[in-house]
């Protein structure tokens, strides 16, 4: 490809709306352009990267017996009504009507569609297991699309669905996908970790997310600091260790204390000269059918995913100030569990082992001292409902947990019969008995993987593409396009390398060398071959390796061998 012809609109400045490095660089290096909030055009270089990522995915999916299909984006509402999800999802589900007024959705995922398809085609256990996948745009109307293609409203996903006759079969499919994912992300040149995750609204049991560790990640990953322990979990899911009662101080009498204007944990702790872990934080949540009081220790936070599972509710929101004021008679800063009537109180397991704690007195400007759970308020539900923090013991080996930000690039779910049962999708087993398929679903964010690769592979000059997904392998830069001999030499090498199967750009623009070098670094070509006087007069060619920054001079023959070998070595196979 000639640089004078390819559409790569590089920018000198970073557009203001870009907050994370991958978004900045995708814009500046001319890979994407925004069409609307969370909706992007992939320009030629991005399209080349996406195709490489998809090719790696296809090879690994096909290797495990996956069969590629292409499912519709437009999904009839009837299928979502059958699965019961039409009313579960709110504004995030893009909905539309056809010319006859019939309801449809733009596919955010394809469990319903694929189950409907297989239901009509697979009736016998002999046809199982079945692994069907697609690579397709997905649509989710994110309230706050941001970070470029990391959280878009239209994005490219590979989603595979497995159909087995029983749980054992699902375990086999799940394991196949889990290992295929590890190979895919390794081949894409990513540092990643599979983490235990929460199965969320789609239900099912086991689920793992593949996280690319990067500061722009929206997920919090807790992982064991011990290298030989592979425990890692999304903080939403990480289980807290069972608390052990450590303080056996004498149980003191409940005492009201005047705490004028002290509403927050920090203010009360400071005012009373205690630490936050001596306080009980009381929060009120509303579900679709009840108000509940939730207690966690002052230095902890409520894990709303765990709470939602515990309450088995569809909607969970913090109650408004007014609701709290009406129910307790006090502003939120002074509410506490003592004296609460007619409401379920859920206490985190760490609260249950507190003694002589401080909590709001449900009276403006007052708190209680020496609050003792069980004596001063009933504990009708004790559970692990808090967010586990870094430093806490690893549930599998006890070493301290570390915390990192993670970008979720893949997730694997065991769905069981959640969709097949709801949609009456069954097969005849060996004994002629009708049973629902046992399913799994497995997603990879293709466009998100491209951005994640930049989050992990960039420097102050721009992108540093892993060779395996780079838009091109090599850029040839003649330093002076007016020197006909230089140009001829560059052209000859350019054509030769193309014949060798090397993906090469010839920067034939009439620009100063500095501009070409800056663009080459910004775009992130893995290799750059500079054709200058030394090449012409001495036959010494200057090769620059983007990843290491090293420059070496080689004769032509050695150069071609080195380039081909470097490209092959860097495929992370
Ligand atoms: C929706 C909307 C957003 C959604 C979903 C449904 C996420 C939804 C979970 C999944 C699970 C797996 C197959 C590939 C891998 C992930 N966001 N999920 O179901 F209607 Cl608006 O998509 N699906």
């Amino acid at each position: 490809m000639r640089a004078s012809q390819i559409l790569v609109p590089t920018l000198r400045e970073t557009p203001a709306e870009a907050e994370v490095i991958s978004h900045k660089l995708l814009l500046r290096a001319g890979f994407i352009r925004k069409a609307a909030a969370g909706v992007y055009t992939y320009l030629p270089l991005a399209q080349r990267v996406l195709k490489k990522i998809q090719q790696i995915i296809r090879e690994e999916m096909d290797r495990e017996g996956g069969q590629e299909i292409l499912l519709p984006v437009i999904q009839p509402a009837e299928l979502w009504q059958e699965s019961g999800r039409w009313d579960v999802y709110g504004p995030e589900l893009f909905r539309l009507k056809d010319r006859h007024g019939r309801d449809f959705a733009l596919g955010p995922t394809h469990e319903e569609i694929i189950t409907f398809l297989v239901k009509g085609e697979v009736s016998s256990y002999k046809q199982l297991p079945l692994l069907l996948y697609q690579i397709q745009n997905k649509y989710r109307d994110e309230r706050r699309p941001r970070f470029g293609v990391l959280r878009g409203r239209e994005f490219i996903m590979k989603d595979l669905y497995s159909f087995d006759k029983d749980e054992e079969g699902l375990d086999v499919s799940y394991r196949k996908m889990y290992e295929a994912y590890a190979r895919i992300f390794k081949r894409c040149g990513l540092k990643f970790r599979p983490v235990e995750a929460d199965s969320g609204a789609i239900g099912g049991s086991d689920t793992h997310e593949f996280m690319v560790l990067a500061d722009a990640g929206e997920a919090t990953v807790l992982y064991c600091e011990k290298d030989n322990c592979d425990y890692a979990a999304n903080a939403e899911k990480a289980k807290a260790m069972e608390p052990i009662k450590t303080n056996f101080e004498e149980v003191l009498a409940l005492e009201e204390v005047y705490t004028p204007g002290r509403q927050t944990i920090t203010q009360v702790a400071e005012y009373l000269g205690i630490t936050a872990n001596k306080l009980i934080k009381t929060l009120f949540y509303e579900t679709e059918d009840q108000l509940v009081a939730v207690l966690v220790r002052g230095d902890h936070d409520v894990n709303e995913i765990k709470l939602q599972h515990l309450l088995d509710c569809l909607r969970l929101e913090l109650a408004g100030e007014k609701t709290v004021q009406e129910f307790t008679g006090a502003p939120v800063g002074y509410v506490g569990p003592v004296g609460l009537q007619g409401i379920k109180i859920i206490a985190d397991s760490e609260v249950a082992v507190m003694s002589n704690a401080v909590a709001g007195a449900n009276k403006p400007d007052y708190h209680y001292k020496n609050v003792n759970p069980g004596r001063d308020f009933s504990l009708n539900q004790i559970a692990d409902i808090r967010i586990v923090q870094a430093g806490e013991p690893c549930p599998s080996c006890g070493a301290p947990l570390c915390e990192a930000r993670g970008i979720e690039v893949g997730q694997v779910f065991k769905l069981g019969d959640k969709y097949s049962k709801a949609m009456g999708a069954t097969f005849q087993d060996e004994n002629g008995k009708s049973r629902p398929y046992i399913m799994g679903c497995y997603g990879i964010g293709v466009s998100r993987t491209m951005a994640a690769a930049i989050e992990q592979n960039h420097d102050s000059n721009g992108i540093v593409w892993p060779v395996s997904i780079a838009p091109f392998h090599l850029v040839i830069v003649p330093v002076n396009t007016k020197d006909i001999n230089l140009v001829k030499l560059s052209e000859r090498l350019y054509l030769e390398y193309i014949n060798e199967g090397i993906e090469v750009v010839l920067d034939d623009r009439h620009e100063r060398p500095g501009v070409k070098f800056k663009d080459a670094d910004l775009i992130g070509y893995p290799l750059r071959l500079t054709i200058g006087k030394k090449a012409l007069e001495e036959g010494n060619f200057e090769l620059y390796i983007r990843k290491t920054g090293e420059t070496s001079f080689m004769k032509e023959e050695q150069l071609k061998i080195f380039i081909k070998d470097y490209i092959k070595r860097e495929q992370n196979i």
Side-chain angles (χ1 to χ4, degrees), residues 80 85 89 92-93 108-109 111 140 159 161 202 413 441 443:
W80 285 72
R85 293 211 291 177
Y89 284 89
E92 191 188 356
L93 182 62
T109 182
E111 281 82 3
R140 295 177 186 176
D159 39 333
Y161 301 86
I202 69 153
F413 289 84
C441 62

Side-chain angles (χ1 to χ4, degrees), residues 110-385:
H110 284 71
E111 281 82 3
E112 284 80 1
I113 290 279
I114 193 80
T115 305
F116 173 70
L117 168 82
V118 172
K119 171 181 175 182
E121 311 305 328
V122 173
S123 55
S124 158
Y125 71 98
K126 292 184 186 120
Q127 296 168 278
L128 300 175
L130 188 60
L131 302 174
L132 299 174
Y133 77 94
Q134 65 163 351
I135 299 179
Q136 166 85 277
N137 277 357
K138 289 274 189 289
Y139 297 86
R140 295 177 186 176
D141 199 355
E142 299 282 347
R143 187 160 40 85
R144 276 192 65 212
R146 54 197 187 132
F147 300 172
V149 298
L150 276 178
R151 179 168 288 277
R153 294 195 289 173
E154 174 185 72
F155 55 95
I156 304 169
M157 180 191 275
K158 180 286 302 175
D159 39 333
L160 183 138
Y161 301 86
S162 64
F163 296 82
D164 281 280
K165 60 186 176 58
D166 52 28
E167 293 293 339
E168 292 70 32
L170 170 57
D171 290 347
V172 171
S173 300
Y174 190 88
R175 171 61 47 205
K176 280 179 175 179
M177 284 298 117
Y178 186 99
E179 276 148 20
Y181 274 41
R183 291 194 299 271
I184 287 166
F185 295 123
K186 178 173 180 291
R187 288 182 62 187
C188 289
L190 292 173
K191 285 192 295 301
F192 68 91
R193 289 197 73 136
V195 305
E196 292 172 26
D198 180 73
S199 49
I202 69 153
S205 54
D206 280 5
T207 177
H208 286 82
E209 287 162 349
F210 285 75
M211 292 288 188
V212 163
L213 303 184
D215 295 344
E218 292 186 308
T220 304
V221 175
L222 289 166
Y223 63 96
C224 182
E225 75 170 19
K226 284 259 170 305
D227 289 341
N228 60 3
C229 171
D230 59 4
Y231 177 80
N234 185 317
E236 288 174 353
K237 152 107 185 194
K239 294 211 173 342
M241 295 288 273
E242 265 308 303
I244 31 174
K245 193 158 174 65
T246 46
N247 60 341
F248 290 95
E249 56 192 89
E250 183 203 347
V251 170
L252 303 175
L254 190 66
E255 186 189 325
E256 210 176 68
V257 61
Y258 185 47
T259 52
R262 272 54 181 195
Q263 308 216 25
T264 67
I265 293 289
T266 312
Q267 288 167 339
V268 175
E270 216 170 282
Y271 185 69
L272 299 178
I274 55 174
T275 47
N277 64 351
K278 288 293 286 171
L279 275 137
I280 293 174
K281 192 191 295 182
T282 306
L283 300 163
F284 288 81
Y285 279 89
E286 277 175 326
T287 71
E288 61 272 24
D289 54 25
Q290 60 176 329
L291 181 71
V292 295
V294 176
L295 313 180
V296 290
R297 214 171 67 185
D299 57 328
H300 289 156
D301 291 311
V302 174
N303 180 324
E304 295 185 353
I305 301 274
K306 290 180 183 175
L307 182 60
Q308 187 156 1
H309 277 303
L310 184 74
L311 293 169
D312 193 18
C313 58
L314 290 174
R315 196 174 64 82
L316 180 76
E317 270 163 20
L318 266 176
E321 294 238 353
K322 213 164 70 52
T323 314
V324 175
Q325 173 83 36
E326 274 160 19
F327 188 85
T328 63
V332 286
Y334 299 100
V335 297
V338 183
L340 283 185
Q341 301 298 331
I343 187 170
K344 178 186 277 191
I345 298 178
I346 300 170
D348 179 66
S349 30
E350 287 289 354
V351 168
V353 297
M354 293 174 84
S355 43
N356 300 328
V358 168
N362 292 323
K363 194 167 142 183
D365 290 331
Y366 280 89
H367 280 75
Y368 279 126
K369 277 172 69 174
N370 306 328
V371 174
N372 285 281
R375 181 191 73 180
D376 303 323
F377 63 90
S378 64
L379 286 163
N380 52 30
Q381 199 152 12
I382 302 172
D384 165 14
I385 53 165

